Amino acid sequence: MEPLHTARRLSAAVLAVSNQLTVPEVLQTIVDTARELAAAEYAALGVPDDDGSFAQFLVSGVSAEQQAAIGPLPRQHGFLAVMLTEPVTQRLDDIRADPRFDWWPAAHPVLKAFLGVPITSGDEILGALYLANKPGGFTDEDTELVRVLAAHAAIALTHARLYARNRELTIAEERARIAHDLHDAVAQRLFGLRLTAQAADLLIDRDPAAARARLAEVSALAREATEELHAAVLELRPARLAEDGLPDVLRKQVQILDRASGPALVFHEDNPVVLPPAQQAVMLRVAQEALHNAVRHSGASRIEVRLAGTVLEVADDGTGFDVDATIKAGRSLGLRSMRDRACQVRGKATITSSPGGTTVRLEVPGA
């Protein structure tokens, strides 16, 4: 491969780490680049979980049909496990001849020449890059190129951990905010209820009509307090997706927020489809994030939520904002989390905004 082309491909992979791509997109760029530069037939990048399998396993050179035939994500066995326990590069002429080789599923491609490079941060193994089937075997130059890419994969994974920790802190802060808002809102309503009830008590003998009017106010205040309490609790508790289904859960949340918040909220449903649980969960979380932003920050008078097949849209008529500038400035974990959630199910989230309003659009695979 020409040195200039190699340098350009390496540069593109390195820039992917610093650009505003999600971690799965960055890792896919790295594994694709590794396969191309090393002239391998197949490549993969695995990030282990704590249960003996993989949190992420990205492949290059294998079609979607082949992946479906191979089956679920692999377990940590054979050379997959070796690379996650021994922080050294493995280069073999024929992986099948090594005593540590285990097995692969019937539909799995037959691998021969093998290059495995660990992805490490200090003494910790974060994952591994696997390449296979290069005519004539892998070279020292291939090994060095893949090590460079593995180092940048480590940067991306380390950034992802830091982001996840920041996200956890943000969630904790948000829950504390909800609790604070809940306390303030209910306290204000209860204070109003007490004063109005006292006024009704004073009027009940000398002006029964005025007393009845005050009691009607008590009823209205109690209803508003109940709705605010319901809306806050809804943000804190897990949704009943398995029992109620995504459309019903979204409809209920929109109805409750419509009663409890300033903007008018409307839910539309077109061409409903039954999505897999993972897609439903991602759609719900993205909808909640988008609604949270719209209700609290957009200044909108109307917010519309539309679920049409495998597409979700949350649109408001608010003041809008500069999406790119906000993401680059790191001021909104929510916007990036929506994109990250979409990538978890191979979906796509887009956010468009102008002074006339903001639209969050999420599309996920139907199966």
Side-chain angles (χ1 to χ4, degrees):
M1 188 172 292
E2 292 293 329
L4 181 58
H5 178 72
T6 299
R8 285 175 175 168
R9 292 294 288 122
L10 274 176
S11 176
V14 170
L15 286 173
V17 176
S18 59
N19 285 342
Q20 303 304 315
L21 298 176
T22 64
V23 173
E25 289 172 325
V26 171
L27 297 182
Q28 188 64 59
T29 298
I30 287 173
V31 74
D32 289 340
T33 303
R35 183 173 74 91
E36 178 185 340
L37 295 185
E41 185 177 7
Y42 304 111
L45 189 155
V47 179
D49 61 15
D50 296 326
D51 299 317
S53 186
F54 287 87
Q56 298 182 72
F57 198 84
L58 300 101
V59 299
S60 183
V62 180
S63 68
E65 292 77 12
Q66 286 176 299
Q67 292 183 55
I70 292 169
L73 288 179
R75 304 289 295 175
Q76 296 173 23
H77 62 80
F79 259 91
L80 295 180
V82 169
M83 298 304 306
L84 300 177
T85 55
E86 301 177 15
V88 293
T89 298
Q90 303 285 340
R91 201 166 89 194
L92 305 169
D93 292 330
D94 190 339
I95 188 174
R96 299 166 299 179
D98 191 283
R100 296 168 295 178
F101 171 73
D102 192 359
W103 62 280
W104 49 55
H108 195 284
V110 175
L111 309 183
K112 188 178 178 183
F114 175 83
L115 174 62
V117 176
I119 300 170
T120 59
S121 177
D123 295 330
E124 183 180 6
I125 300 176
L126 304 178
L129 267 167
Y130 311 95
L131 286 84
N133 291 13
K134 176 176 182 174
F138 294 99
T139 66
D140 291 342
E141 182 182 15
D142 296 330
T143 302
E144 290 307 310
L145 283 172
V146 177
R147 281 176 177 164
V148 170
L149 291 168
H152 287 282
I155 294 172
L157 290 170
T158 301
H159 285 175
R161 285 187 174 185
L162 292 173
Y163 170 78
R165 288 170 187 164
N166 286 338
R167 178 65 179 161
E168 288 173 5
L169 289 174
T170 300
I171 291 172
E173 291 170 357
E174 182 64 12
R175 292 175 74 90
R177 180 199 61 76
I178 292 171
H180 182 269
D181 289 352
L182 174 60
H183 175 270
D184 285 354
V186 174
Q188 289 173 9
R189 297 296 182 194
L190 291 178
F191 182 69
L193 278 169
R194 187 175 64 185
L195 290 180
T196 307
Q198 288 173 348
D201 183 58
L202 292 173
L203 292 168
I204 198 165
D205 290 328
R206 69 169 186 252
D207 192 344
R212 282 194 294 272
R214 293 292 182 272
L215 289 174
E217 291 178 21
V218 168
S219 178
L221 287 169
R223 184 181 66 254
E224 291 170 3
T226 301
E227 289 172 351
E228 288 188 355
L229 177 62
H230 196 178
V233 170
L234 194 63
E235 289 192 69
L236 291 170
R237 75 183 182 192
R240 292 164 48 89
L241 277 175
E243 296 86 352
D244 299 337
L246 179 62
D248 282 347
V249 170
L250 276 177
R251 185 181 297 104
K252 290 174 185 175
Q253 296 206 1
V254 168
Q255 289 172 347
I256 291 168
L257 284 172
D258 179 48
R259 293 194 296 266
S261 59
L265 281 90
V266 182
F267 177 73
H268 306 281
E269 180 186 353
D270 301 320
N271 188 28
V273 297
V274 179
L275 293 169
Q279 275 90 321
Q280 290 193 58
V282 166
M283 274 201 160
L284 176 61
R285 297 310 175 203
V286 169
Q288 289 174 325
E289 190 81 55
L291 282 169
H292 169 86
N293 291 339
V295 168
R296 289 168 176 78
H297 306 303
S298 71
S301 61
R302 183 179 177 87
I303 302 169
E304 297 195 18
V305 180
R306 183 177 300 277
L307 182 63
T310 61
V311 176
L312 167 77
E313 285 190 353
V314 179
D316 67 64
D317 61 357
T319 55
F321 64 101
D322 189 324
V323 177
D324 291 337
T326 301
I327 293 176
K328 288 178 181 178
R331 293 196 299 268
S332 178
L333 288 174
L335 299 181
R336 299 197 66 171
S337 75
M338 285 190 277
R339 294 173 60 188
D340 285 345
R341 288 185 188 279
C343 281
Q344 290 172 10
V345 293
R346 299 186 181 182
K348 183 178 182 181
T350 55
I351 301 103
T352 56
S353 189
S354 67
T358 300
T359 298
V360 174
R361 187 179 192 274
L362 169 66
E363 184 169 6
V364 300

